Each structure stands twice: as structure tokens, then as C-alpha cells.
Amino acid sequence: MTPEESLRRPPGAVALPADFRAFHQLYRAAYVRWAEIHLGSNADAEEAVDHAFEQLALSWQTVLTQPTPEAYAWKVVKNRTIDLARRRNRRPVVADVAAFETCDLRNAVDPIGELETSLFVYEAINDLPDRQRDVIILRYSLGYDAATTARILGISPAGVRSTARHARRRLRQVLGLDEQEGSRDGHPTD
């Protein structure tokens, strides 16, 4: 450690393990993007994710003993995000934020009709089971490929593809879309 580094570290602070720092660097941005969709604020998302990483740092050796540390960390991030929303008396804002951020809405001939459709779609996404909702948001709202989504969630890429397929089928049913139209959807390229 250089003298400059020791000056930057508060007295009594413990150096974080290299594997934790690498984990933090690899996943923090994705966690913040996901939390921002749910909290509607980048500052709140950063706060929730920072609290999650503090919790993970304190129990890092336990995290590493988990069958899939990424899956364990994902649960911590989700719980911290939900806790922050509850402390601030907020409901999830996925539908509110996402509906207004769609490119289609900005370019729509009928923006009100497009907004109604967007709200209906995002409400349907909110009603999906947790895993399906997480995959849909990471894959289609945030644009991560199947491999990256799998790493973030701590599951296999095949699990992501299967979950996405089931979620899309469920969304087609809820939205009243023709099954034949949905079958043309196929699998996204990864």
C-alpha cells in the first residue's frame, strides 16, 4: 500500500478482498440500472445497491460458500431495493417509468394510445412471477443478452431463455395476443 492509499482509507477501515472488489466492479452497474427501474431514482438506486454491497462485504466469506454467489447477491440487492421503497412509502414504479421512456411513445402518431398500451404491457410485466419479471426487465428493458442476464441472476443461459419464453407466453395470454402471432416471435438472438 502506498502512503497515498493509506491516507485515503479511513482509520480502522479494512481492505476489501480482491474477489469482492472484482464482483463489485462486475455487477454494480447492472444492479443500479435494475434498481433504478424499480425505485424511479438513480440516487435511490445507488443507495439501495450500496447498502446491498455493504451487507455482502460484511458476509463475503458466507457469500462465497453459497452454491451460486451471484444468485445470493441478487436476492440481497432485490431485498435492499424493496426495503428502500418501503421505507420511503413507495410502490414499484416499473410501469410508471418505463411507459414514459419508450422510444415508440416519443415517435408515436397516437401518443395517448401508445401510453395506454405501454402502461398495460408494463402492468402485465409487474404481475409476472419474480424470476420471469427479472428476466424480462434485464433482457428487454435493459437490453442485456442471455449470457449477461444469466450471470447477473446466477442462473444458466438456458434457464434465462426458458424463463423468457415462459414469460413471453404468459404476457401474450394476458395481453390477448394471438398465439400464432406470438409464435413468430421466436427466440431472440443472443
Side-chain angles (χ1 to χ4, degrees):
M1 173 181 350
T2 67
E4 294 80 25
E5 288 174 317
S6 65
L7 290 174
R8 282 187 230 131
R9 186 176 303 146
V14 177
L16 295 169
D19 52 357
F20 176 82
R21 290 191 316 266
F23 188 91
H24 179 271
Q25 185 175 0
L26 185 62
Y27 293 108
R28 186 177 188 283
Y31 291 168
V32 169
R33 287 183 71 201
W34 178 87
E36 186 173 4
I37 284 179
H38 291 277
L39 295 169
S41 159
N42 182 266
D44 288 347
E46 298 235 0
E47 180 180 338
V49 171
D50 287 345
H51 285 297
F53 272 109
E54 288 170 10
Q55 181 179 340
L56 292 167
L58 291 172
S59 60
W60 187 241
Q61 292 308 310
T62 302
V63 173
L64 293 177
T65 65
Q66 300 302 308
T68 312
E70 294 84 356
Y72 182 88
W74 181 252
K75 287 179 187 173
V76 171
V77 169
K78 286 183 69 168
N79 288 337
R80 287 299 186 154
T81 301
I82 291 166
D83 290 346
L84 182 70
R86 285 181 182 151
R87 277 197 318 272
R88 304 239 165 108
N89 294 319
R90 292 189 193 153
R91 63 180 183 82
V93 294
V94 174
D96 302 339
V97 173
F100 290 100
E101 292 182 353
T102 63
C103 182
D104 291 340
L105 182 60
R106 283 177 262 160
N107 300 324
V109 174
D110 177 14
I112 299 301
E114 187 68 34
L115 177 60
E116 288 174 351
T117 301
S118 294
L119 285 171
F120 189 57
V121 168
Y122 283 102
E123 286 172 8
I125 291 171
N126 276 338
D127 290 338
L128 290 171
D130 279 352
R131 176 62 53 91
Q132 289 180 9
R133 184 176 52 246
D134 292 343
V135 166
I136 292 296
I137 289 170
L138 289 167
R139 290 281 287 126
Y140 303 107
S141 293
L142 297 177
Y144 292 111
D145 62 24
T148 303
T149 299
R151 278 197 322 273
I152 291 167
L153 295 176
I155 62 176
S156 70
V160 167
R161 288 188 295 274
S162 174
T163 301
R165 185 174 53 254
H166 290 290
R168 287 191 315 265
R169 183 180 310 131
R170 186 175 186 143
L171 288 171
R172 283 192 299 270
Q173 291 170 344
V174 169
L175 298 172
L177 300 174
D178 180 27
E179 274 302 310
Q180 190 169 8
E181 177 184 330
S183 67
R184 288 184 295 175
D185 179 30
H187 299 289
T189 56
D190 296 320

